[in-house]
Amino acid sequence: MKVTEHIEKANGKALFSFEILPPLKGQNIEGIYNTIDPLMEFKPPFVDVTYHREEYVYKTHKNGLLEKTVTRKRPGTVGICAAIMHKYKIDAVPHIICGGFTKQDTEDALIDLDFLGIDNVLVLRGDPIKSEKRFTPEPNGHAYAIDLMEQVKNLNEGIYLDEDLKYNSPTDFCIGVAGYPEKHFEAPNMKNDLYWLKKKVENGAEYIVTQMFFDNSRFFEFERQCREAGINVPIIPGLKPLSTERQLSLLPQIFHLDLPDALVDEVNKAKSKDAIRQIGVEWCIEQSKELIKNGSPVLHYYSMGKSKNIQKIARAVF
């Protein structure tokens, strides 16, 4: 079932969903099941599965020469989606990214997902690899999420890369895209960020999932600006409970977001790691309750491969 259909079927009741990371190369799928199992009591209609592009490192040989070696740290998004749907009988939403994919790679991945009966994809540009200062697309790949989204839309209309194909079967993916309550860090301003978000919706995006945030007022302002701009698709807030003191500096650095003074002050006063985790849980519970009160159709939690804190939050909220 499509994400939009799940929302419509819920008839105004807020739904619970979350995102998981594929396991590191060399690990098995049991870690995924260990994350999902404790959260199934909250009846998630869908689970997102991230995609992590391959990266490369340079190895120095004894003769001094450097060898460029490609690594794939987290393979398996397509296989994990199939396993989730088979084991839990819920929808899996794979992330489709620009980085590391040619247009042909993208088409092949989408065909595989269609064969599996997957109804939803979340279309993202993706981050640059660690060795790059700026995002660099693959040769004959996509530079922007809106271009990647156009390819998914074309496949939904039966338009494949090979123009000589005949009797093409269209796919029927529900397309989700990302939104940034505090602006994408590469956008010059919020107005420009919303301009491109609206373009995605006009070109076929059916729902938006936001970057994590810790100040609900930022989300409500973002939602208001979206509606005023004519963006009327469901907007799903993305949430993550803060769990360590280190995240006070790490999250702003990685995700380009602000942390509220009250949350930072509480963490700074905490006397133990357990106290910090509890502060993060309680903050996220209050965020969640307020978002539901204000009509958010789904609350989407970033698990980062761990479910214990999210389980505590969901028990207090759902």
Side-chain angles (χ1 to χ4, degrees):
M1 189 182 294
K2 296 181 179 182
V3 167
T4 50
E5 292 173 335
H6 282 298
I7 292 171
E8 185 177 350
K9 186 179 177 182
N11 205 21
K13 180 182 178 182
L15 300 173
F16 166 82
S17 74
F18 59 96
E19 178 181 294
I20 58 170
L21 306 175
L24 291 168
K25 188 175 183 178
Q27 298 178 2
N28 63 30
I29 201 169
E30 289 304 317
I32 294 291
Y33 295 155
N34 291 338
T35 298
I36 295 175
D37 285 346
L39 301 177
M40 287 305 296
E41 66 176 286
F42 311 109
K43 298 180 172 55
F46 60 90
V47 173
D48 276 36
V49 183
T50 65
Y51 186 93
H52 289 257
R53 63 180 293 186
E54 62 187 18
E55 299 193 1
Y56 56 83
V57 295
Y58 287 96
K59 291 186 177 179
T60 305
H61 292 276
K62 292 180 179 178
N63 59 9
L65 294 177
L66 294 176
E67 179 188 5
K68 182 179 178 181
T69 304
V70 175
T71 63
R72 249 187 114 200
K73 293 185 176 180
R74 293 185 185 271
T77 294
V78 174
I80 290 167
C81 286
I84 288 172
M85 294 174 67
H86 174 73
K87 181 176 175 65
Y88 298 103
K89 312 303 179 190
I90 60 175
D91 284 301
V93 182
H95 292 191
I96 303 293
I97 65 173
C98 297
F101 281 86
T102 65
K103 294 174 185 176
Q104 188 61 58
D105 292 335
T106 295
E107 184 174 282
D108 292 344
L110 290 168
I111 289 170
D112 285 345
L113 295 171
D114 185 52
F115 286 167
L116 287 171
I118 288 172
D119 295 323
N120 307 277
V121 290
L122 188 67
V123 173
L124 309 161
R125 188 197 68 177
D127 298 321
I129 60 177
K130 292 176 182 177
S131 56
E132 296 175 345
K133 290 184 178 180
R134 294 183 60 84
F135 176 82
T136 303
E138 286 292 297
N140 198 31
H142 296 295
Y144 300 102
I146 194 168
D147 301 322
L148 175 57
M149 203 193 80
E150 184 71 18
Q151 184 175 1
V152 181
K153 180 187 173 186
N154 284 343
L155 215 59
N156 278 350
E157 296 174 358
I159 302 171
Y160 289 69
L161 294 175
D162 184 350
E163 296 178 356
D164 295 328
L165 286 178
K166 296 181 180 179
Y167 314 113
N168 300 342
S169 296
T171 57
D172 190 25
F173 293 111
C174 176
I175 303 170
V177 293
Y180 297 85
E182 298 176 62
K183 184 183 78 63
H184 190 280
F185 74 99
E186 293 179 6
N189 53 44
M190 182 59 83
K191 181 179 179 182
N192 183 262
D193 209 17
L194 289 173
Y195 171 84
W196 288 109
L197 183 58
K198 185 178 181 182
K199 281 287 186 185
K200 292 175 188 177
V201 172
E202 290 172 344
N203 285 317
E206 296 180 65
Y207 69 97
I208 297 164
V209 182
T210 77
Q211 173 67 280
M212 70 177 71
F213 58 92
F214 292 85
D215 184 345
N216 280 2
S217 67
R218 295 289 188 98
F219 173 79
F220 295 137
E221 177 62 15
F222 170 74
E223 189 176 46
R224 182 190 67 78
Q225 290 179 315
C226 283
R227 301 313 185 207
E228 287 184 354
I231 299 170
N232 295 312
V233 299
I235 302 175
I236 298 173
L239 300 166
K240 182 200 177 309
L242 186 128
S243 56
T244 67
E245 184 178 15
R246 186 165 177 257
Q247 289 176 351
L248 292 181
S249 58
L250 203 60
L251 293 178
Q253 178 185 344
I254 296 173
F255 298 103
H256 307 276
L257 50 80
D258 287 335
L259 292 167
D261 290 344
L263 176 59
V264 175
D265 290 344
E266 286 297 311
V267 171
N268 284 334
K269 288 188 295 184
K271 299 187 183 301
S272 69
K273 293 180 179 179
D274 287 342
I276 292 172
R277 280 192 290 270
Q278 187 59 31
I279 289 166
V281 166
E282 291 174 1
W283 187 273
C284 198
I285 287 171
E286 293 308 309
Q287 274 192 277
S288 300
K289 289 180 176 179
E290 185 179 28
L291 288 163
I292 290 175
K293 184 179 178 180
N294 282 270
S296 291
V298 183
L299 300 189
H300 187 69
Y301 296 90
Y302 296 110
S303 75
M304 305 299 187
K306 299 177 181 178
S307 58
K308 188 174 181 181
N309 285 358
I310 294 173
Q311 185 183 38
K312 290 180 180 178
I313 295 161
R315 281 182 174 164
V317 175
F318 291 93

